[in-house]
Amino acid sequence: MNTPLKRIHRFFATAIAALVLLTACGGGGDDGRASNAGARATAPSAARSPGGKPRGSVVVTTYATGLTSPRGLAFGPDGDLYVAEAGTGGSLVPLGTADCPTNINIYSPYTAGYSGRVLRLRPDGSKKTVVDGLPSMTDAYGGNYGPTDLAFLNGTLYVLIEMGGCSHGLPDSDASILRINPDGSTTQVANLSAWLAANPPHFIKDTNSATTDLEPGGVFHSMISYRNELYVVETNRGMLVKVNPATGAIGLAYDMSRDNSEHNPIVMTQHRGRFYVGTFGEDGGPSELAAFKAGFASYTLPFKSLNPIVGLAWRRERLYAVEIFPHDEAWTPDNAILVSFDPAAGERKELATKFASLPNGLVLGPDGALYTSNVTLSATPGDGSVLRIELPRDGATRPDTEGDR
């Protein structure tokens, strides 16, 4: 059975439908727009520290507003924050010809265009377009896909294009990694769809076009840099891929389907040379947070993970995660949870609840705060935002249920 929770890479489409329904019925709390209110601590009764911040609290503020389908984030060498916007698709449709066939799945048909872009966000709230005209596509339920993550490597910015190809109305734009050049142009350094076609996963659970979400060209959702390579998570079939952008070489780091199961990995981070991968959970079950051994030889599950993970970041010696919603309250807006994991004991600790609405990604800023994209999908362009999460100074936390969205 094709359950919404099982098909992580389509959470945008499912949530769009849910949000439209809530709006039509007049429910669902606020309208999902980024708040312009001041900072609010998640533990308002805690004692105040000398700087005026409640000791032991997490403080969430709005860092940037007016974004459309914001996804992955990355801080640049200049200290500014860069964000990928998936765009709003366009009017292009699949050709369905012999030389450009359309592979049908449960989210077809797609429309497409070149409305994706990358923005540079400054602390004063100003925004600058770094590059626009990037591939973007919309499925039958209104979910948008396109630029999905960013990474800097040796001072150069790279953008990950989640999907593409003939089935999505973009015959000349596959899922890929693009280098952003100083003049604002882009150069493809890796065609991920072509690589996946030549290197299929070990296991595919469902190939029936009436029930499957199979994307032959892949769904490449997140990307990080480490040393001289880029590491990418392919969510649709559970593959972790490494790319050398200097040479264009693409290789398999690990195929999570090798145990004949679907894991739905969606986000990756690394710490001291070890890689950690968060999953969305299978068939409504709890998520996994995998710790890989050196060289991706194998992985263990040392953390007591629970809810679907869409963002991971290390700060000092503690791992933080954004959970998009409780796994037993799937697709509910305004229900995200910020948690930390103890790397020694694996314990999961809730730091803030209901602090964001269907967020995506998590990065550590040069100021020591965490940042995540908020309202990553909406029927209204410009409803998205970026949140700044200030963590406690003394490491203690008191969870509560409010934040400034």
Side-chain angles (χ1 to χ4, degrees):
M1 181 178 180
N2 196 312
T3 62
L5 192 55
K6 182 172 75 172
R7 305 307 185 185
I8 164 57
H9 70 278
R10 292 297 185 268
F11 72 80
F12 300 113
T14 308
I16 282 259
L19 291 173
V20 169
L21 179 60
L22 283 169
T23 302
C25 295
D30 66 38
D31 63 359
R33 291 180 174 81
S35 168
N36 291 318
R40 182 180 300 165
T42 62
S45 61
R48 292 198 172 271
S49 58
K53 175 186 173 185
R55 182 180 292 113
S57 67
V58 173
V59 177
V60 182
T61 53
T62 301
Y63 186 78
T65 60
L67 306 177
T68 300
S69 298
R71 301 290 161 82
L73 306 163
F75 275 93
D78 53 12
D80 287 340
L81 181 60
Y82 293 72
V83 58
E85 286 188 325
T88 56
S91 59
L92 301 176
V93 297
L95 299 176
T97 59
D99 59 344
C100 195
T102 301
N103 293 290
I104 303 296
N105 63 27
I106 60 172
Y107 297 99
S108 303
Y110 286 82
T111 55
Y114 290 87
S115 56
R117 62 178 180 171
V118 175
L119 296 179
R120 179 181 183 181
L121 309 178
R122 297 183 179 275
D124 63 5
S126 62
K127 297 188 278 290
K128 179 181 179 181
T129 299
V130 177
V131 60
D132 56 12
L134 297 177
S136 175
M137 61 225 78
T138 304
D139 67 21
Y141 297 91
N144 295 321
Y145 311 89
T148 187
D149 211 354
L150 303 168
F152 279 90
L153 182 60
N154 299 325
T156 298
L157 180 58
Y158 296 87
V159 57
L160 175 64
I161 306 300
E162 187 166 22
M163 298 192 301
C166 289
S167 295
H168 304 98
L170 295 170
D172 299 319
S173 300
D174 288 325
S176 60
I177 298 175
L178 306 178
R179 183 180 68 237
I180 300 179
N181 302 314
D183 63 358
S185 63
T186 60
T187 301
Q188 179 177 284
V189 298
N191 186 321
L192 299 172
S193 293
W195 178 86
L196 185 62
N199 299 273
H202 169 76
F203 173 75
I204 297 176
K205 189 173 183 177
D206 184 2
T207 59
N208 183 345
S209 63
T211 57
T212 189
D213 68 343
L214 176 65
E215 295 285 355
V219 181
F220 296 85
H221 186 75
S222 60
M223 175 175 67
I224 64 171
S225 62
Y226 178 64
R227 293 184 174 172
N228 292 315
E229 293 183 304
L230 298 168
Y231 289 81
V232 180
V233 176
E234 197 288 318
T235 289
N236 196 208
R237 292 299 168 234
M239 304 182 80
L240 310 179
V241 180
K242 59 181 178 180
V243 175
N244 184 325
T247 65
I250 307 173
L252 176 66
Y254 197 86
D255 181 354
M256 294 188 75
S257 77
R258 66 197 298 176
D259 62 355
N260 296 323
S261 299
E262 288 189 340
H263 294 271
N264 302 314
I266 189 168
V267 66
M268 176 190 291
T269 190
Q270 72 84 25
H271 183 62
R272 301 186 182 277
R274 290 195 64 185
F275 290 80
Y276 301 81
V277 174
T279 78
F280 210 74
E282 171 69 6
D283 289 324
S287 70
E288 296 173 326
L289 180 47
F292 280 84
K293 295 181 180 180
F296 287 93
S298 62
Y299 68 87
T300 58
L301 299 173
F303 302 102
K304 296 176 173 62
S305 54
L306 179 63
N307 301 313
I309 297 171
V310 293
L312 286 173
W314 282 86
R315 181 176 180 265
R316 298 176 184 149
E317 296 303 315
R318 186 165 290 269
L319 180 58
Y320 293 85
V322 169
E323 300 174 342
I324 190 171
F325 45 63
H327 75 275
D328 55 355
E329 298 178 29
W331 315 122
T332 50
D334 300 303
N335 211 4
I337 306 165
L338 177 70
V339 302
S340 67
F341 290 97
D342 182 342
E347 295 292 337
R348 170 186 173 275
K349 182 176 182 179
E350 292 190 0
L351 308 181
T353 60
K354 301 183 184 297
F355 79 98
S357 187
L358 301 170
N360 183 76
L362 189 67
V363 295
L364 177 66
D367 57 354
L370 299 173
Y371 294 77
T372 188
S373 293
N374 183 45
V375 191
T376 58
L377 55 98
S378 175
T380 305
D383 271 3
S385 61
V386 171
L387 302 180
R388 179 180 182 272
I389 306 166
E390 188 176 357
L391 299 170
R393 297 177 182 176
D394 57 6
T397 54
R398 301 183 184 183
D400 206 291
T401 58
E402 295 184 359
D404 169 27
R405 290 185 295 277

